[in-house]
Amino acid sequence: MKEFQLIRQIQQQTSAALANASDAGVSVGIGDDAAVLEVPAGYQLVAATDTLNAGIHFPTDTPAFDIGYKCLAVNLSDLAAMGAVPRWALLSLSLPQAGSDWVQSFTDGFSSLAQRHGVSLVGGDTTSGPLSVSLTALGIVEPGKALQRNAAKAGDVLVVSGTVGGAAYALAQLQAGKAVQERHLLDRPQPRVRLGRALAGFAHACIDISDGLLADLGHVLRASACGARLELDKLPASDAMAQLDDETRWNYQLAGGDDYELLFTLPPQHESMLAKLRRQLDIRLSVIGEIEAQEGCRCTAPGGMDYDPVKSGYEHFQQIP
Amino acid sequence: MKEFQLIRQIQQQTSAALANASDAGVSVGIGDDAAVLEVPAGYQLVAATDTLNAGIHFPTDTPAFDIGYKCLAVNLSDLAAMGAVPRWALLSLSLPQAGSDWVQSFTDGFSSLAQRHGVSLVGGDTTSGPLSVSLTALGIVEPGKALQRNAAKAGDVLVVSGTVGGAAYALAQLQAGKAVQERHLLDRPQPRVRLGRALAGFAHACIDISDGLLADLGHVLRASACGARLELDKLPASDAMAQLDDETRWNYQLAGGDDYELLFTLPPQHESMLAKLRRQLDIRLSVIGEIEAQEGCRCTAPGGMDYDPVKSGYEHFQQIP
């Protein structure tokens, strides 16, 4: 299978899935040297890029469908963290060998998520090489409404969507050769696009959790020149994690990574709006702490004891079999 | 060296090189979940992405500076082929191990070309993995002015910039263990951005030569539903290729790839403007044939004989040591 056939297959599958692509501001799509796109008047462009390498960002046994899904999901998660509306994607696919079945499943996975969020695939390239997927997601946002990392303020409440640590726990079960109870948390993260839109122009700071809660919170705190207190008993856990002892669970929740939930800060007078958001978006939103003037991050265990996650088994998950 | 340090190093080096980045429509640059950019009113967005893998798109001994240069050059070449003005870039870098010296040289190479064309690096990611660079270039173009592949018309003259085949010849010398006379043609192609801008709204079809002259001309002819006649003695050759016999030279020129010159078609009444463009842009522009109604591509050897490149040693260069 040659590159041109591959591109044609991806083009046909994705455009069949997106019959309304002509409405999506695509003036020139797949098949020319570059795509030509219409950013609507009164919007800024938002652009994110992320690469997934086999064995590093996903287990080598991950089904092609889930790789296609996840490469888009992690980038839509970045757009969500900015409060943007996703519009278009460009895909660079490196494959050891180009099998038509593999590409079909990959594209099905990609399209399943692209359709849900109205994203058109407008360009890219395929090449031979170790399995790697690099995706650029483009979206739009109203001027001044983009959420940034550097806007947290002392007194803000700290909120996280969904649950944290489940992807890392699933990966650890996989690495230990155990039955994995919630593999979907690892393979099919839900980009929180609607939540990001609802927060745009309303939340202070926002980031998506890809490196782990503590690491990503650290990015926010450094960019905002402030600190935070986290209450460990408020960290939301997935069903499978309920069986773990506290310290093991906290370690996954604090250090795990790959959750792709949104972590954001709200001025305290807006905390009451969380109930409305939970209802409207059918999403779990947990207040897990607050922003403080003193730099650094302090964790409080149940009962009010300080807890130091670095001394207590903080560990980052990197290599994947 | 951790990912965050790497990103910080690239950010510091590229922003030092681009002191005027604030003028470049960058509302949020490197360091947040995504970049926020201003597409000027009255312009369309143009987006291209291309991946370079070590040993496939560049020899494994290529200096880091040249890898940094080339990953931007091949993408700017795609924007040039659309007639766009380059503005921004996002970079995904996979590295087996992250050496500070390597990253510095890579970034120097990238910045040398980015500065020349006013391109701001606004985002990206770094990850561990086999050496691979994936770049997305974003530019702008006036509505209706983008050059496409599908607009060639019978009677158009067929024009190519610079010389063709030199990159493939340099690669062949390298692969044969011989002294390479014009390695810059392989490692540092010149994206024809100014030429693309001059042609926007004026040429019919345009493409950049990355797969080889015949292959890329084939893309234009299929998209435009027409054919072409090529005159082999008009194909422009680099200095080092003058020593080759005709058939060997033609083979490199027709099938070589990696030239990143622009191949475009002009309505015959505009042919006279080539002299002005040559003078203004200080560039070689060669009329190498014409577009015909009959589909397919026919080559004419000196003296008017038909020449069939498929039967005469047509060969595509792929693997690189």
Side-chain angles (χ1 to χ4, degrees):
Chain A
M1 201 177 188
K2 293 283 173 61
E3 177 173 0
F4 311 124
Q5 291 172 275
L6 249 179
I7 292 174
R8 206 171 306 129
Q9 185 185 343
I10 293 173
Q11 179 183 10
Q12 283 165 353
Q13 264 184 262
T14 54
S15 56
L18 277 169
N20 58 348
S22 59
D23 307 333
V26 181
S27 176
V28 177
I30 293 178
D32 218 300
D33 290 286
V36 182
L37 307 167
E38 300 278 358
V39 174
Y43 283 87
Q44 293 178 309
L45 175 69
V46 183
T49 196
D50 248 323
T51 295
L52 302 185
N53 291 333
I56 293 166
H57 301 95
F58 54 86
T60 50
D61 73 345
T62 305
F65 185 100
D66 291 339
I67 299 170
Y69 175 100
K70 189 171 179 178
C71 74
L72 182 58
V74 303
N75 280 285
L76 293 190
S77 179
D78 280 326
L79 296 191
M82 305 299 289
V85 184
R87 297 300 298 272
W88 309 293
L90 298 112
L91 172 69
S92 266
L93 186 56
S94 289
L95 283 175
Q97 71 266 69
S100 170
D101 288 351
W102 193 96
V103 172
Q104 169 130 18
S105 297
F106 174 90
T107 310
D108 284 345
F110 179 93
S111 297
S112 70
L113 190 63
Q115 270 189 288
R116 199 177 313 160
H117 293 286
V119 172
S120 300
L121 184 68
V122 296
D125 73 326
T126 61
T127 179
S128 65
L131 179 56
S132 171
V133 191
S134 190
L135 194 121
T136 298
L138 301 172
I140 56 175
V141 74
E142 299 84 353
K145 274 199 163 185
L147 299 165
Q148 292 186 241
R149 298 178 177 188
N150 62 3
K153 299 247 178 309
D156 283 0
V157 293
L158 186 63
V159 188
V160 70
S161 64
T163 62
V164 289
Y169 181 49
L171 177 59
Q173 288 180 314
L174 184 71
Q175 286 176 317
K178 294 183 186 161
V180 181
Q181 295 154 275
E182 296 174 326
R183 176 125 186 201
H184 64 280
L185 293 177
L186 181 62
D187 289 342
R188 299 202 195 165
Q190 301 283 332
R192 301 302 188 182
V193 173
R194 291 177 67 209
L195 175 61
R197 285 301 291 161
L199 296 175
F202 158 65
H204 275 166
C206 186
I207 194 169
D208 75 324
I209 302 182
S210 52
D211 296 327
L213 176 58
L214 276 188
D216 289 310
L217 175 58
H219 298 322
V220 169
L221 299 182
R222 273 187 300 280
S224 304
C226 53
R229 174 160 297 275
L230 274 184
E231 295 178 60
L232 296 178
D233 60 345
K234 297 198 174 158
L235 296 180
S238 67
D239 292 343
M241 297 180 76
Q243 71 202 44
L244 298 173
D245 66 75
D246 283 351
E247 290 220 6
T248 306
R249 192 177 65 250
W250 295 338
N251 189 36
Y252 287 118
Q253 291 175 308
L254 294 172
D258 254 0
D259 292 311
Y260 302 103
E261 296 294 347
L262 295 188
L263 176 69
F264 56 96
T265 81
L266 282 183
Q269 69 271 25
H270 284 159
E271 189 180 343
S272 58
M273 295 190 67
L274 290 175
K276 189 175 151 207
L277 285 176
R278 284 186 195 103
R279 214 171 40 240
Q280 279 184 343
L281 305 178
D282 188 24
I283 195 173
R284 186 165 173 177
L285 296 173
S286 308
V287 175
I288 60 172
E290 75 174 300
I291 299 298
E292 299 178 333
Q294 187 196 343
E295 298 198 359
C297 178
R298 292 155 291 281
C299 296
T300 307
M305 296 270 289
D306 278 354
Y307 176 84
D308 186 345
V310 180
K311 291 195 186 130
S312 312
Y314 176 99
E315 196 187 330
H316 198 70
F317 302 89
Q318 266 280 350
Q319 295 298 322
I320 300 182
Chain B
M1 202 176 186
K2 293 285 171 63
E3 177 174 358
F4 311 122
Q5 291 172 276
L6 249 176
I7 292 174
R8 205 170 307 130
Q9 185 184 345
I10 293 173
Q11 178 183 12
Q12 282 165 353
Q13 264 184 263
T14 55
S15 56
L18 278 170
N20 57 349
S22 57
D23 307 335
V26 181
S27 176
V28 177
I30 292 177
D32 218 301
D33 290 288
V36 182
L37 308 166
E38 299 279 357
V39 174
Y43 283 86
Q44 293 178 308
L45 175 68
V46 183
T49 195
D50 248 324
T51 295
L52 303 185
N53 290 333
I56 294 166
H57 301 97
F58 55 85
T60 49
D61 73 345
T62 305
F65 185 100
D66 290 340
I67 299 170
Y69 176 100
K70 190 170 180 178
C71 74
L72 181 58
V74 303
N75 279 286
L76 293 190
S77 179
D78 280 325
L79 295 191
M82 305 299 287
V85 183
R87 296 301 297 273
W88 309 292
L90 298 112
L91 171 70
S92 266
L93 185 57
S94 289
L95 284 175
Q97 69 266 73
S100 170
D101 288 352
W102 193 97
V103 172
Q104 169 131 16
S105 297
F106 174 90
T107 309
D108 284 345
F110 179 93
S111 297
S112 70
L113 190 63
Q115 270 189 289
R116 199 179 312 160
H117 293 285
V119 172
S120 300
L121 183 67
V122 296
D125 73 323
T126 62
T127 178
S128 65
L131 180 56
S132 172
V133 191
S134 191
L135 194 121
T136 297
L138 301 172
I140 56 174
V141 73
E142 299 85 352
K145 273 198 162 185
L147 299 165
Q148 291 185 242
R149 300 179 175 188
N150 63 3
K153 300 244 177 313
D156 282 0
V157 293
L158 186 63
V159 189
V160 71
S161 64
T163 62
V164 288
Y169 182 48
L171 177 59
Q173 289 179 313
L174 184 72
Q175 285 176 317
K178 294 181 186 164
V180 181
Q181 296 153 276
E182 296 173 328
R183 177 127 184 199
H184 64 281
L185 293 177
L186 182 62
D187 289 342
R188 299 202 197 167
Q190 301 282 332
R192 300 303 189 182
V193 173
R194 291 177 66 207
L195 176 61
R197 285 299 294 161
L199 296 174
F202 158 65
H204 275 168
C206 186
I207 195 170
D208 75 323
I209 302 180
S210 52
D211 296 327
L213 176 58
L214 277 188
D216 289 310
L217 176 58
H219 298 322
V220 169
L221 299 181
R222 272 187 300 279
S224 303
C226 55
R229 177 160 294 277
L230 274 184
E231 296 179 59
L232 296 178
D233 60 345
K234 296 198 174 158
L235 296 180
S238 67
D239 292 343
M241 298 180 75
Q243 71 202 43
L244 299 171
D245 67 74
D246 284 351
E247 291 219 7
T248 306
R249 192 176 64 251
W250 296 338
N251 190 36
Y252 287 118
Q253 291 174 308
L254 293 172
D258 252 0
D259 292 312
Y260 302 102
E261 296 293 347
L262 295 188
L263 177 70
F264 56 97
T265 83
L266 282 182
Q269 68 272 23
H270 284 160
E271 188 180 342
S272 58
M273 293 192 67
L274 290 175
K276 190 176 149 208
L277 284 177
R278 284 186 195 102
R279 212 171 43 240
Q280 279 184 343
L281 305 179
D282 188 24
I283 196 172
R284 187 165 172 177
L285 296 172
S286 306
V287 175
I288 59 172
E290 75 174 300
I291 301 298
E292 299 178 334
Q294 189 195 341
E295 297 198 359
C297 178
R298 293 154 289 282
C299 295
T300 307
M305 296 271 288
D306 277 353
Y307 177 85
D308 185 345
V310 179
K311 290 193 188 133
S312 311
Y314 175 100
E315 197 187 328
H316 199 72
F317 301 89
Q318 266 280 352
Q319 294 297 322
I320 300 181

